Amino acid sequence: MASQDTTKDVTEISRTPYQLDISQTTRACDVLLKHIGDERKRRTIAAPPKPNLLSAKVDDDEAGEQGRDQDETPVWLIATTKKHVVDRPRLKPGKISLPHPLNNGSSSTICLITSDPQSVYTDALAQPSFPDSLRKHITRVIGLKQLKANYKMFEARRQLKAEHDIFLCDDRVVTYLPQVLGKVFFKDGSKRPVPVNIAGAAARDGSRKKNESNSIQPRKSTKDETGNGVGQSERLVNEINKALTSALIHLAPGTSTAVKVGNAAFTAEMCTDNLRAVVNGLTEKYITNGWRNIRALHIKGPSTMAFPIWLAEQLWEDEDDVLEYEKKKFVGKDQKSLKGSGLAGAIRQDLDPMQPDPSDGVGELKRKAGETQSDGPRKAAKSKRTAEAEATIAADTLLRKSKLKQQKAEAMAAAVDAIG
């Protein structure tokens, strides 16, 4: 019996529309990656790189850098919801662990922005327990005071952004960074500092109690609060690895959320695995009401069309969101044109026989006569109007579903044609 119940549950899950079609998603990723590669080749042929006049041959490091930039063309998941997910933007992004990390380059450099004093984290990096494979990527540790003092100029901030590939920051100072770093880092979001919890729960609880009376300046960490060197090193390693192997979820007021799930160097299967993990994380943790609040899921590149991988059949989240309405007759100019004519009173009596007609003297008599009539005909007319409205709504729903299915079929046909 247990095996039969399990088989039944699996069958019901496989039939539910609230899940990704893996084969369709893989095909869409394959088409998108091929399109990105073809566009890159077309741009290279149309505008070949200018030769370096200062040297006879291109430096190997420069060529490797160009290849890496081409391979890092991002692939985005665009999730469109039926209702707003949050009511205000958040500086601290959410994190969803990926089976295939995005930041796995062997030559990537990391800049760590910490609270003061920064010597606590510099000593933690120098501990023997800190892995060398991660230490060689962290090329700079900078405190908040030093960041404020040395990077006031716009050109200095641009140089700092160009020197490093990834920026990590203590999550206790992330609210100060938009004012300190400005639009150089926060306009496009390509190198926006990723907050990490490197202080620990004990230090965080202590800082919350201490900063209740004064929360103007970020709290300074000490060795006594953050633990010994070994514990601080292990905590720092875990948080950095978590930030490097996760997809960042930046939620903002609106119905559209973009999440980076891969790049041009990935295979279609790798992108599909990451898409599956991100969609599951979004529906379980970040999007209210999960799948029922999702309207559409698309994947796209920086300058490509959006490929649909899932479309909702209903445009609303709940049946209560659908409002019934009746068309009003003689609104605006039509109603004004009837003023002063003999038809105004007749139309008013047809719409509401209980209302007296001021154009003649028998309005009061008609009102009294209407009061003596039974309410049976009115209830019958009202129920008839309700039935007609429900039939209209049902017809509109079927029409919308058929249009959505037709759009999905046309999109898939276009994707298949693009492969050919």
Side-chain angles (χ1 to χ4, degrees), residues 328-341:
K328 296 182 179 180
K329 299 181 180 180
F330 304 106
V331 178
K333 294 182 179 180
D334 295 337
Q335 188 175 7
K336 292 180 180 179
S337 62
L338 294 175
K339 280 188 176 182
S341 65

Side-chain angles (χ1 to χ4, degrees), residues 246-268:
S246 299
L248 303 180
I249 312 299
H250 295 278
L251 299 178
T255 58
S256 182
T257 302
V259 184
K260 185 178 178 182
V261 295
N263 53 53
F266 280 19
T267 62

Side-chain angles (χ1 to χ4, degrees), residues 50-56:
K50 297 180 180 179
N52 190 354
L53 301 178
L54 300 178
S55 61

Side-chain angles (χ1 to χ4, degrees), residues 292-347:
R292 296 187 178 276
N293 194 17
I294 296 180
R295 184 171 183 176
L297 297 175
H298 295 78
I299 57 172
K300 70 181 301 294
S303 58
T304 66
M305 62 178 293
F307 291 82
I309 59 176
W310 190 86
L311 296 175
E313 295 184 354
Q314 291 184 348
L315 301 181
W316 53 86
E317 181 182 354
D318 193 0
E319 295 294 339
D320 296 337
D321 297 336
V322 182
L323 302 179
E324 297 183 2
Y325 66 95
E326 296 181 3
K327 294 183 179 180
K328 296 182 179 180
K329 299 181 180 180
F330 304 106
V331 178
K333 294 182 179 180
D334 295 337
Q335 188 175 7
K336 292 180 180 179
S337 62
L338 294 175
K339 280 188 176 182
S341 65
L343 296 176
I347 293 172

